[in-house]
Amino acid sequence: MADALRIGIAGLGTVGASVIRMLDAKAQELTRQCGREIVVTGVSARDRNRDRGVDVSNARWFDDSVELARSQDIEVFVELIGGEDGPARASVKAALEAGKHVVTANKALLSRHGVSLAAAAEKKGVLLNYEAAVAGGIPIIKTMREALAGNQVSRVFGIMNGTCNYILTRMEAEGISFEDCLKDAQRLGYAEADPTFDIEGHDTAHKLSILTSLAFGCRISADDIYMEGISNITQADIRAASDLGFRIKLLGVAVKTDSGIEQRVHPTMVPTSSVIAQVHGVTNAVAVETDYLGELLLTGPGAGGDATASAVTGDIADIAKSRPGFQHGPVFGWPARELTPYKRARMRSHAGGYFIRLTVHDRTGVFAAIAKRMADSEISLESIVQHGDATADQHKTVILVTHETTEAAVRKAVDGITRDGHLVDKAQVIRIERAA
Amino acid sequence: MADALRIGIAGLGTVGASVIRMLDAKAQELTRQCGREIVVTGVSARDRNRDRGVDVSNARWFDDSVELARSQDIEVFVELIGGEDGPARASVKAALEAGKHVVTANKALLSRHGVSLAAAAEKKGVLLNYEAAVAGGIPIIKTMREALAGNQVSRVFGIMNGTCNYILTRMEAEGISFEDCLKDAQRLGYAEADPTFDIEGHDTAHKLSILTSLAFGCRISADDIYMEGISNITQADIRAASDLGFRIKLLGVAVKTDSGIEQRVHPTMVPTSSVIAQVHGVTNAVAVETDYLGELLLTGPGAGGDATASAVTGDIADIAKSRPGFQHGPVFGWPARELTPYKRARMRSHAGGYFIRLTVHDRTGVFAAIAKRMADSEISLESIVQHGDATADQHKTVILVTHETTEAAVRKAVDGITRDGHLVDKAQVIRIERAA
């Protein structure tokens, strides 16, 4: 049998403790699968004395994660610290430069510095594995980086934030408001005390930016993502969606268009009959569409200590199975130095169907004015539903579903309707996404 | 750049032609991803003169696939001949013994001879990749073999036959009979002229036997699979299922029980609200449940030349990315010589809910007799629906849904009811499978 693989783990929070527990509990199976033992020889975390429920007494303790990253004691550095800069970045960089393989679950780090880290890894001929960084336990990185070799991706999209999906699922199932759902999610530990990062789409955007690079062989560009969160989704939207055969999900979508690559995160209407519409609660799902394979959808746990530990362990096992001289392909599918510059598509030219909900004054001619603005923008309508608002009989709700049109046309029409002075509230515009 | 990887392809049917087309069309991308060219240096098929729409004139032609398998011209042998014995087996064996990597899409071959072929591959330190053998383009082998390292699988199940799923989908959507659907499927090329292999579950069983080995580290045992096809599913079943919130799918299921491993292929009721219930038409889906990751579901095209070619190309690319001295873990997750003997669970002890449809004579006391038989077998019922049969008012239909019980108890109760002489037709018994 080959020599044991010596790894160092930096960051001993929920995921770090789960990884250590899993490596210990599954030592025999992993040895059999990898043909060698995996041994944790070094650990690093902020507080040496905290009880984490796992025994790390056999590993050497490092107060400084950078020191662990460079240590002669390890061949693989597992970064579970988090954060796009600080010790996470410094230690991953140090590990790669010292010729160590790296496994990380850090989406923020990769989203910001992924390309330069990939270049460092490829220069040294070491692996940089990051399955846990996107959609937790779902093997989407392995699928896109390895299984889809040679496929040209046209679109990748998914539900990549469990907090948002949990809130949307409960809003629909129980008819309660966004605010009440959020409070419950916070109470149950599904949402942070400051939920902005999840709720407004930043977390999904980080993950999407990584998938975009894998999908299209371009550099990561997390700042070029159009982002709308779910905080302005109301029961009126959810009920109207349901009446029309749709369900609202926060999707991250990256798609190749004639003008470049479009990256967007926003509440999206998907057909109730689609597979992705059945993905409920904290579960994640990622769909990839390619020329040869067709459409693939992966569904599973997007977060949680054990599910994330499973992905980290899979990454470590891949390294344990490798032998000196082996190379398993570039970090982002293509060599980092050959990744093309990201070319942002014009978002305003995004084509697709739209759901538009308008709360209007109940006056003669309003309907005609709306219809005229739509016609002026050359928007063809799939359906129009108008109903009185029970609580305020001076208002009416008008719901429009458009056929495929452009973002620019919709914006123009809605701006016109707004200027006409018929709206009581800001217009609600939700994109519709085709999904199998 | 490393030397080109020289491959030989045996079998130039639909899949073989798609693989050659894909390798040609995607040569540039593949070279970039793998760091070396992939070149088809040898081909073999039955008829040299047939026009396959692809150019193989640059490759050396072999009339004998075994000769190609042993040829000095190739490092990788791609077997797309099909069949569990004959030239497919002979040439794969020859290739492995000659120290060539093998890629195959042949489920029948692996289902029958997988363990001995794995042993041969591991002895020579070469790869035996077979992503296309199960669920076409869905990367379930890679996921189970690599991504789930260290996870203990408790259950693996899925829709693995497109023909059956196509028929069941149309039966439900259009209210037409099994026979009419089958004829249409044959006309459209979704079913073979002799459909037995698909319809009666043999194809699903082959695939399931491979997943069972990967899931539980046991030897493949395709003969130990309980098998029921879909040919006796009627509109009455489909409508009753729908009324009760279920959909009927042909599932292959492997699950670990106290008494061993249960492998079964049969029509199954899954909750309409589950993700797998939304998998329509020829699409496949495979779910895996593990201790650390939780439940993962992969959905995608299960057949077709291009989707299968995508999986074959992914397998070839994995080899192209490897370098001498590299080994990527055992063929079935664990070394072939360490796979445990398959221990068949007692099928009669299978626990779960059941749907039972009885067509009974409309006589006094029938209902009481049925209820007594259920009680005698200690079966507790979730629901009982009784309705008159519009076309024959001497008959009634009784539909029972049981809580979790055992196969043995259900068989005992149904045998009793049958002996009581109340049944007009054979009882229809369909297992219910929990699915997220």
Side-chain angles (χ1 to χ4, degrees):
Chain A
M1 195 178 294
D3 290 342
L5 182 75
R6 295 164 303 136
I7 70 172
I9 298 180
L12 295 175
T14 310
V15 175
S18 274
V19 170
I20 286 175
R21 198 160 35 239
M22 185 171 179
L23 291 175
D24 182 49
K26 303 308 181 79
Q28 202 184 333
E29 289 87 337
L30 287 166
T31 301
R32 203 175 318 193
Q33 290 171 347
C34 301
R36 66 203 284 201
E37 268 188 280
I38 297 167
V39 182
V40 180
T41 48
V43 291
S44 171
R46 242 178 305 189
D47 179 0
R48 185 165 188 171
N49 298 312
R50 208 177 119 203
D51 179 16
R52 298 172 173 92
V54 289
D55 181 11
V56 292
S57 59
N58 286 331
R60 191 175 148 200
W61 181 273
F62 291 80
D63 285 319
D64 179 3
S65 60
V66 172
E67 206 190 316
L68 169 60
R70 290 194 186 120
S71 159
Q72 295 297 324
D73 295 351
I74 67 162
E75 293 149 81
V76 181
F77 179 69
V78 181
E79 186 274 304
L80 303 170
I81 303 166
E84 67 180 54
D85 285 299
R89 183 186 182 196
S91 53
V92 166
K93 205 161 163 281
L96 294 173
E97 283 166 1
K100 320 280 187 192
H101 302 295
V102 169
V103 173
T104 176
N106 191 334
K107 56 192 176 289
L109 172 71
L110 292 171
S111 178
R112 184 63 58 194
H113 306 293
V115 175
S116 65
L117 294 173
E122 288 160 23
K123 192 175 158 196
K124 288 287 184 178
V126 294
L127 291 164
L128 171 55
N129 287 348
Y130 51 93
E131 189 60 81
V134 180
I138 299 175
I140 184 63
I141 304 300
K142 183 174 272 294
T143 295
M144 294 185 71
R145 191 159 77 158
E146 300 171 23
L148 295 181
N151 275 274
Q152 187 178 323
V153 176
S154 49
R155 183 169 66 145
V156 55
F157 66 99
I159 297 169
M160 291 178 269
N161 183 275
T163 307
C164 288
N165 206 48
Y166 173 83
I167 290 173
L168 291 171
T169 301
R170 283 202 61 190
M171 281 178 75
E172 188 189 344
E174 299 171 36
I176 45 181
S177 71
F178 168 79
E179 288 75 17
D180 288 346
C181 275
L182 175 57
K183 269 180 216 143
D184 245 32
Q186 287 172 317
R187 199 174 46 77
L188 293 164
Y190 292 152
E192 306 283 336
D194 176 0
T196 317
F197 189 73
D198 290 315
I199 296 307
E200 298 304 340
H202 300 274
D203 174 72
T204 303
H206 276 165
K207 295 166 181 168
L208 181 66
S209 71
I210 296 169
L211 297 187
T212 301
S213 176
L214 279 167
F216 305 115
C218 63
R219 291 190 204 124
I220 296 171
S221 190
D223 294 332
D224 284 308
I225 298 185
Y226 174 85
M227 212 161 54
E228 259 176 54
I230 62 164
S231 55
N232 70 342
I233 297 295
T234 66
Q235 276 298 326
D237 297 320
I238 286 179
R239 282 194 309 269
S242 173
D243 289 347
L244 293 161
F246 290 105
R247 195 163 272 158
I248 301 177
K249 296 289 181 189
L250 182 78
L251 294 191
V253 183
V255 58
K256 204 159 191 169
T257 75
D258 292 340
S259 66
I261 295 161
E262 195 175 290
Q263 297 183 100
R264 45 195 168 85
V265 174
H266 51 67
T268 312
M269 298 225 177
V270 293
T272 310
S273 61
S274 64
V275 179
I276 205 166
Q278 309 306 320
V279 176
H280 301 304
V282 296
T283 304
N284 279 201
V286 184
V288 195
E289 289 171 8
T290 81
D291 52 352
Y292 272 76
L293 176 54
E295 182 167 333
L296 190 69
L297 179 75
L298 280 63
T299 306
D306 281 357
T308 309
S310 166
V312 170
T313 300
D315 278 351
I316 296 170
D318 272 351
I319 296 170
K321 289 172 196 162
S322 76
R323 298 288 179 272
F326 142 85
Q327 181 209 329
H328 203 277
V331 176
F332 291 104
W334 287 10
R337 63 182 183 285
E338 291 178 31
L339 291 170
T340 58
Y342 174 79
K343 188 181 170 211
R344 183 179 190 157
R346 277 164 288 131
M347 175 68 184
R348 292 217 149 213
S349 72
H350 162 64
Y354 288 78
F355 161 99
I356 304 168
R357 181 171 60 80
L358 307 171
T359 308
V360 299
H361 295 291
D362 189 7
R363 298 177 194 141
T364 312
V366 171
F367 214 70
I370 292 169
K372 185 173 184 311
R373 288 294 183 182
M374 290 290 153
D376 287 351
S377 286
E378 293 181 10
I379 295 171
S380 119
L381 297 172
E382 189 177 305
S383 70
I384 308 180
V385 182
Q386 179 185 334
H387 37 143
D389 186 328
T391 58
D393 55 2
Q394 301 302 307
H395 303 159
K396 281 208 185 300
T397 300
V398 178
I399 287 161
L400 310 165
V401 174
T402 79
H403 282 292
E404 184 152 322
T405 179
T406 64
E407 186 86 12
V410 169
R411 289 293 161 200
K412 184 184 156 205
V414 168
D415 287 351
I417 293 163
T418 308
R419 276 200 312 277
D420 290 344
H422 299 309
L423 296 188
V424 177
D425 265 343
K426 196 170 163 294
Q428 174 75 294
V429 177
I430 302 178
R431 289 163 198 84
I432 296 169
E433 197 81 20
R434 182 175 51 76
Chain B
M1 194 178 295
D3 289 343
L5 182 74
R6 296 164 302 136
I7 70 171
I9 298 181
L12 296 174
T14 310
V15 175
S18 274
V19 169
I20 286 175
R21 199 161 36 241
M22 186 170 179
L23 292 175
D24 183 49
K26 303 308 182 77
Q28 202 184 333
E29 288 87 339
L30 285 166
T31 302
R32 202 176 316 194
Q33 290 171 347
C34 301
R36 66 203 287 199
E37 268 186 280
I38 297 168
V39 183
V40 180
T41 48
V43 291
S44 172
R46 244 178 305 189
D47 179 2
R48 186 167 187 167
N49 298 313
R50 208 177 119 203
D51 179 15
R52 299 174 172 90
V54 291
D55 182 12
V56 292
S57 59
N58 285 330
R60 191 174 148 201
W61 181 272
F62 291 79
D63 285 318
D64 179 2
S65 61
V66 173
E67 207 190 316
L68 170 60
R70 291 192 186 121
S71 158
Q72 296 296 325
D73 294 352
I74 67 163
E75 293 149 83
V76 181
F77 178 70
V78 181
E79 187 273 304
L80 303 171
I81 302 166
E84 67 180 54
D85 285 299
R89 184 187 182 194
S91 53
V92 166
K93 207 163 161 279
L96 294 173
E97 282 166 1
K100 321 279 187 191
H101 302 294
V102 169
V103 173
T104 176
N106 190 333
K107 57 192 175 285
L109 173 70
L110 292 172
S111 177
R112 183 64 57 193
H113 305 294
V115 175
S116 64
L117 295 173
E122 288 161 22
K123 193 176 158 195
K124 287 286 185 178
V126 293
L127 290 164
L128 171 53
N129 286 349
Y130 51 94
E131 189 61 81
V134 180
I138 299 176
I140 184 64
I141 305 299
K142 184 174 272 294
T143 295
M144 292 185 71
R145 193 160 74 158
E146 300 172 24
L148 295 181
N151 275 274
Q152 186 177 323
V153 177
S154 50
R155 182 169 66 145
V156 56
F157 66 100
I159 297 169
M160 291 178 269
N161 183 274
T163 308
C164 288
N165 206 49
Y166 173 84
I167 290 174
L168 291 171
T169 301
R170 283 201 61 190
M171 282 178 75
E172 187 189 344
E174 298 170 37
I176 46 182
S177 71
F178 168 78
E179 289 74 18
D180 288 346
C181 275
L182 175 59
K183 269 181 218 143
D184 246 33
Q186 286 171 320
R187 198 174 47 76
L188 293 164
Y190 292 152
E192 305 284 336
D194 176 1
T196 316
F197 189 74
D198 290 317
I199 296 306
E200 298 305 338
H202 300 274
D203 174 72
T204 302
H206 277 165
K207 295 165 181 167
L208 181 66
S209 71
I210 297 168
L211 297 186
T212 301
S213 177
L214 279 167
F216 305 115
C218 63
R219 292 191 202 123
I220 296 172
S221 189
D223 294 331
D224 284 309
I225 299 185
Y226 173 85
M227 213 161 52
E228 259 176 56
I230 63 165
S231 55
N232 71 341
I233 297 295
T234 67
Q235 277 298 326
D237 297 321
I238 286 180
R239 283 195 307 270
S242 171
D243 289 347
L244 293 162
F246 290 106
R247 194 164 273 159
I248 301 176
K249 296 290 182 190
L250 183 78
L251 295 191
V253 182
V255 57
K256 204 160 191 168
T257 74
D258 291 341
S259 66
I261 295 161
E262 194 175 289
Q263 297 183 102
R264 44 196 167 84
V265 174
H266 52 67
T268 312
M269 299 227 177
V270 292
T272 311
S273 61
S274 64
V275 179
I276 204 165
Q278 310 304 320
V279 175
H280 301 304
V282 296
T283 304
N284 280 201
V286 183
V288 195
E289 290 171 7
T290 82
D291 53 352
Y292 271 76
L293 176 54
E295 182 168 333
L296 190 68
L297 178 75
L298 280 62
T299 307
D306 282 357
T308 309
S310 165
V312 170
T313 300
D315 277 351
I316 297 171
D318 272 351
I319 297 170
K321 288 171 195 162
S322 75
R323 298 289 178 272
F326 142 86
Q327 182 209 327
H328 203 275
V331 176
F332 291 104
W334 287 11
R337 64 182 182 285
E338 292 178 31
L339 291 170
T340 58
Y342 174 79
K343 189 182 170 211
R344 184 180 190 157
R346 277 163 287 133
M347 175 67 184
R348 292 215 149 215
S349 75
H350 162 64
Y354 287 79
F355 162 98
I356 304 167
R357 180 171 59 80
L358 306 171
T359 309
V360 300
H361 295 290
D362 190 8
R363 298 177 194 140
T364 312
V366 171
F367 215 71
I370 293 170
K372 185 173 184 308
R373 289 292 182 183
M374 291 290 155
D376 286 351
S377 287
E378 293 182 8
I379 296 171
S380 118
L381 297 172
E382 189 178 304
S383 70
I384 308 179
V385 183
Q386 179 185 331
H387 38 143
D389 186 329
T391 58
D393 54 3
Q394 301 304 305
H395 303 158
K396 281 207 184 302
T397 300
V398 179
I399 287 161
L400 311 165
V401 174
T402 79
H403 282 293
E404 184 154 321
T405 179
T406 66
E407 186 85 11
V410 169
R411 289 294 161 197
K412 185 184 156 204
V414 169
D415 288 349
I417 293 164
T418 307
R419 278 199 311 276
D420 290 344
H422 299 308
L423 296 189
V424 177
D425 265 342
K426 196 170 165 291
Q428 175 75 295
V429 177
I430 301 179
R431 289 164 198 82
I432 296 168
E433 196 81 21
R434 183 174 50 75

